[in-house]
Amino acid sequence: MDFDKLKEWMEISQKYQNGNFWDMIFDQANLENFMKDTRNEAPSQKVHTSNSFPLVDIYLTNTQVIVIIELPGYRKEDVTLSLSGNLLSIKGTSKLPIANPVVIRNERRYGDFERLIELPEPTKSNEIHARFESGLLIVTYMRKYTPEENIPIT
């Protein structure tokens, strides 16, 4: 075995000494990152379409629909929103803040992402208000439907 291969295996073993090696290998996303890490490449710049990023909460009050989208480390300039029917689309990008690093651990997401969020009630894009606050994108709009009411039967 040549010295470069031995060095590569030593780096791999040091990265995964935390006891989760096999869990990480059998998780497809981690396997892809593991394979990239072993080649000493920067994190992926591909589009992430996972349903779990960014994290989203949706709340209903008597008067509003509130959607909270978690985007830690993002700026409003990095994100775009669009609406089609009752589907809210969020797209964004995040760049690695360091040029050409040696990756020891990579748990944060970098690159482009896109997520479609089904809204519980329809609205129009000009009726939506969005603001960025402490890493949260808060999207609100007024409800058009009233809470359930009993209808008398005659």
Side-chain angles (χ1 to χ4, degrees):
M1 179 180 281
D2 67 353
F3 182 72
D4 290 334
K5 283 287 184 192
L6 180 59
K7 183 179 172 187
E8 182 179 337
W9 279 106
M10 290 299 292
E11 288 172 359
I12 292 170
S13 68
Q14 287 175 355
K15 288 180 186 178
Y16 300 100
Q17 285 182 0
N18 65 3
N20 295 332
F21 180 80
W22 290 110
D23 293 337
M24 294 171 70
I25 291 298
F26 289 115
D27 178 21
Q28 186 62 35
N30 284 329
L31 178 58
E32 290 172 12
N33 285 336
F34 171 78
M35 296 306 290
K36 288 180 181 121
D37 287 352
T38 61
R39 294 189 302 267
N40 243 2
E41 294 179 2
S44 173
Q45 296 298 314
K46 70 180 183 176
V47 174
H48 299 281
T49 57
S50 168
N51 286 342
S52 62
F53 185 84
L55 298 176
V56 174
D57 294 336
I58 300 175
Y59 301 98
L60 295 176
T61 68
N62 286 339
T63 59
Q64 284 187 316
V65 175
I66 303 166
V67 181
I68 300 175
I69 304 165
E70 187 174 285
L71 293 165
Y74 285 79
R75 300 170 303 156
K76 66 180 180 179
E77 297 83 16
D78 301 329
V79 178
T80 60
L81 286 175
S82 61
L83 182 68
S84 177
N86 69 332
L87 289 178
L88 181 68
S89 172
I90 179 167
K91 296 178 186 179
T93 189
S94 175
K95 294 188 173 131
L96 188 64
I98 305 164
N100 302 318
V102 173
V103 178
I104 302 300
R105 179 178 292 212
N106 181 223
E107 296 177 0
R108 295 182 47 129
R109 246 179 229 266
Y110 297 102
D112 297 331
F113 73 86
E114 178 177 4
R115 182 165 181 190
L116 290 176
I117 302 163
E118 185 174 358
L119 298 175
E121 296 177 6
T123 190
K124 295 179 182 173
S125 62
N126 63 348
E127 296 173 349
I128 291 181
H129 303 282
R131 72 182 192 279
F132 228 102
E133 187 177 307
S134 302
L136 299 175
L137 178 58
I138 302 169
V139 178
T140 60
Y141 63 94
M142 298 304 291
R143 295 184 72 178
K144 293 185 170 59
Y145 300 107
T146 57
E148 180 180 341
E149 296 175 356
N150 290 330
I151 300 171
I153 301 174
T154 58

